[in-house]
PDB file of all heavy atoms in Angstrom:
ATOM      1  N   LYS X  57     -27.126  -3.663 -29.182  1.00 87.00           N
ATOM      2  CA  LYS X  57     -28.249  -2.926 -29.694  1.00 87.00           C
ATOM      3  C   LYS X  57     -28.142  -1.584 -29.234  1.00 87.00           C
ATOM      4  O   LYS X  57     -27.832  -1.325 -27.965  1.00 87.00           O
ATOM      5  CB  LYS X  57     -29.397  -3.663 -29.051  1.00 87.00           C
ATOM      6  CG  LYS X  57     -30.764  -3.190 -29.664  1.00 87.00           C
ATOM      7  CD  LYS X  57     -31.906  -4.162 -29.235  1.00 87.00           C
ATOM      8  CE  LYS X  57     -33.233  -3.786 -29.781  1.00 87.00           C
ATOM      9  NZ  LYS X  57     -34.102  -4.751 -29.200  1.00 87.00           N
ATOM     10  N   ILE X  58     -28.453  -0.645 -30.089  1.00 84.00           N
ATOM     11  CA  ILE X  58     -28.298   0.762 -29.818  1.00 84.00           C
ATOM     12  C   ILE X  58     -29.511   1.194 -28.929  1.00 84.00           C
ATOM     13  O   ILE X  58     -30.753   0.882 -29.247  1.00 84.00           O
ATOM     14  CB  ILE X  58     -28.212   1.643 -30.999  1.00 84.00           C
ATOM     15  CG1 ILE X  58     -26.960   1.295 -31.622  1.00 84.00           C
ATOM     16  CG2 ILE X  58     -28.172   3.148 -30.645  1.00 84.00           C
ATOM     17  CD1 ILE X  58     -26.802   1.985 -33.127  1.00 84.00           C
ATOM     18  N   ASP X  59     -29.368   1.623 -27.833  1.00 77.00           N
ATOM     19  CA  ASP X  59     -30.280   1.948 -26.837  1.00 77.00           C
ATOM     20  C   ASP X  59     -31.457   2.881 -27.486  1.00 77.00           C
ATOM     21  O   ASP X  59     -31.097   4.022 -28.084  1.00 77.00           O
ATOM     22  CB  ASP X  59     -29.728   2.635 -25.649  1.00 77.00           C
ATOM     23  CG  ASP X  59     -30.582   2.148 -24.327  1.00 77.00           C
ATOM     24  OD1 ASP X  59     -31.305   1.190 -24.553  1.00 77.00           O
ATOM     25  OD2 ASP X  59     -30.378   2.789 -23.370  1.00 77.00           O
ATOM     26  N   GLY X  60     -32.625   2.530 -27.326  1.00 74.00           N
ATOM     27  CA  GLY X  60     -33.723   3.386 -27.734  1.00 74.00           C
ATOM     28  C   GLY X  60     -34.179   3.041 -29.189  1.00 74.00           C
ATOM     29  O   GLY X  60     -35.205   3.728 -29.716  1.00 74.00           O
ATOM     30  N   THR X  61     -33.587   2.178 -29.862  1.00 74.00           N
ATOM     31  CA  THR X  61     -33.874   1.813 -31.275  1.00 74.00           C
ATOM     32  C   THR X  61     -34.519   0.291 -31.125  1.00 74.00           C
ATOM     33  O   THR X  61     -34.311  -0.362 -30.169  1.00 74.00           O
ATOM     34  CB  THR X  61     -32.809   1.824 -32.201  1.00 74.00           C
ATOM     35  OG1 THR X  61     -31.837   0.945 -31.761  1.00 74.00           O
ATOM     36  CG2 THR X  61     -32.129   3.145 -32.301  1.00 74.00           C
ATOM     37  N   ASP X  62     -35.166  -0.059 -32.233  1.00 74.00           N
ATOM     38  CA  ASP X  62     -35.810  -1.416 -32.204  1.00 74.00           C
ATOM     39  C   ASP X  62     -34.781  -2.416 -32.726  1.00 74.00           C
ATOM     40  O   ASP X  62     -34.553  -3.497 -32.087  1.00 74.00           O
ATOM     41  CB  ASP X  62     -36.923  -1.352 -33.202  1.00 74.00           C
ATOM     42  CG  ASP X  62     -38.196  -0.847 -32.416  1.00 74.00           C
ATOM     43  OD1 ASP X  62     -38.174  -0.936 -31.313  1.00 74.00           O
ATOM     44  OD2 ASP X  62     -39.194  -0.508 -33.149  1.00 74.00           O
ATOM     45  N   ASP X  63     -34.257  -2.238 -33.857  1.00 77.00           N
ATOM     46  CA  ASP X  63     -33.403  -3.206 -34.363  1.00 77.00           C
ATOM     47  C   ASP X  63     -32.057  -2.654 -34.962  1.00 77.00           C
ATOM     48  O   ASP X  63     -31.524  -3.226 -35.854  1.00 77.00           O
ATOM     49  CB  ASP X  63     -34.042  -3.993 -35.511  1.00 77.00           C
ATOM     50  CG  ASP X  63     -34.661  -3.139 -36.599  1.00 77.00           C
ATOM     51  OD1 ASP X  63     -34.605  -1.824 -36.292  1.00 77.00           O
ATOM     52  OD2 ASP X  63     -35.369  -3.621 -37.495  1.00 77.00           O
ATOM     53  N   LYS X  64     -31.580  -1.617 -34.339  1.00 82.00           N
ATOM     54  CA  LYS X  64     -30.252  -1.101 -34.892  1.00 82.00           C
ATOM     55  C   LYS X  64     -29.082  -1.593 -33.878  1.00 82.00           C
ATOM     56  O   LYS X  64     -29.349  -1.508 -32.650  1.00 82.00           O
ATOM     57  CB  LYS X  64     -30.226   0.354 -34.775  1.00 82.00           C
ATOM     58  CG  LYS X  64     -30.868   0.989 -36.083  1.00 82.00           C
ATOM     59  CD  LYS X  64     -30.492   2.453 -36.210  1.00 82.00           C
ATOM     60  CE  LYS X  64     -30.894   3.066 -37.580  1.00 82.00           C
ATOM     61  NZ  LYS X  64     -31.079   4.412 -37.410  1.00 82.00           N
ATOM     62  N   PHE X  65     -28.074  -2.095 -34.505  1.00 85.00           N
ATOM     63  CA  PHE X  65     -26.998  -2.540 -33.665  1.00 85.00           C
ATOM     64  C   PHE X  65     -25.711  -1.848 -34.020  1.00 85.00           C
ATOM     65  O   PHE X  65     -25.491  -1.395 -35.075  1.00 85.00           O
ATOM     66  CB  PHE X  65     -26.782  -4.169 -34.110  1.00 85.00           C
ATOM     67  CG  PHE X  65     -27.795  -4.993 -33.397  1.00 85.00           C
ATOM     68  CD1 PHE X  65     -29.067  -5.239 -34.109  1.00 85.00           C
ATOM     69  CD2 PHE X  65     -27.626  -5.508 -32.099  1.00 85.00           C
ATOM     70  CE1 PHE X  65     -29.897  -6.067 -33.470  1.00 85.00           C
ATOM     71  CE2 PHE X  65     -28.560  -6.255 -31.379  1.00 85.00           C
ATOM     72  CZ  PHE X  65     -29.737  -6.604 -32.209  1.00 85.00           C
ATOM     73  N   GLU X  66     -24.855  -1.708 -32.940  1.00 85.00           N
ATOM     74  CA  GLU X  66     -23.582  -1.114 -33.328  1.00 85.00           C
ATOM     75  C   GLU X  66     -22.681  -2.436 -33.306  1.00 85.00           C
ATOM     76  O   GLU X  66     -22.607  -3.200 -32.394  1.00 85.00           O
ATOM     77  CB  GLU X  66     -23.055  -0.152 -32.271  1.00 85.00           C
ATOM     78  CG  GLU X  66     -21.736   0.226 -32.359  1.00 85.00           C
ATOM     79  CD  GLU X  66     -21.361   1.707 -31.761  1.00 85.00           C
ATOM     80  OE1 GLU X  66     -22.156   1.984 -30.873  1.00 85.00           O
ATOM     81  OE2 GLU X  66     -20.429   2.244 -31.996  1.00 85.00           O
ATOM     82  N   GLU X  67     -21.840  -2.519 -34.252  1.00 85.00           N
ATOM     83  CA  GLU X  67     -20.748  -3.595 -34.254  1.00 85.00           C
ATOM     84  C   GLU X  67     -19.438  -3.150 -33.935  1.00 85.00           C
ATOM     85  O   GLU X  67     -18.927  -2.103 -34.466  1.00 85.00           O
ATOM     86  CB  GLU X  67     -20.680  -4.164 -35.760  1.00 85.00           C
ATOM     87  CG  GLU X  67     -22.024  -4.913 -36.192  1.00 85.00           C
ATOM     88  CD  GLU X  67     -22.927  -3.972 -37.006  1.00 85.00           C
ATOM     89  OE1 GLU X  67     -22.493  -2.778 -37.129  1.00 85.00           O
ATOM     90  OE2 GLU X  67     -23.979  -4.385 -37.383  1.00 85.00           O
ATOM     91  N   ILE X  68     -18.777  -4.061 -33.083  1.00 88.00           N
ATOM     92  CA  ILE X  68     -17.387  -3.784 -32.723  1.00 88.00           C
ATOM     93  C   ILE X  68     -16.558  -4.919 -32.994  1.00 88.00           C
ATOM     94  O   ILE X  68     -16.904  -6.031 -32.713  1.00 88.00           O
ATOM     95  CB  ILE X  68     -17.297  -3.474 -31.141  1.00 88.00           C
ATOM     96  CG1 ILE X  68     -18.148  -2.370 -30.818  1.00 88.00           C
ATOM     97  CG2 ILE X  68     -15.847  -3.089 -30.725  1.00 88.00           C
ATOM     98  CD1 ILE X  68     -19.446  -2.596 -30.079  1.00 88.00           C
ATOM     99  N   ALA X  69     -15.459  -4.665 -33.846  1.00 88.00           N
ATOM    100  CA  ALA X  69     -14.558  -5.788 -34.106  1.00 88.00           C
ATOM    101  C   ALA X  69     -13.748  -6.213 -32.928  1.00 88.00           C
ATOM    102  O   ALA X  69     -13.075  -5.352 -32.289  1.00 88.00           O
ATOM    103  CB  ALA X  69     -13.678  -5.475 -35.253  1.00 88.00           C
TER     104      ALA X  69
END
Side-chain angles (χ1 to χ4, degrees):
Chain X
K57 194 169 179 179
I58 297 169
D59 213 14
T61 59
D62 275 342
D63 52 357
K64 273 198 177 157
F65 284 90
E66 178 161 13
E67 290 95 1
I68 303 108

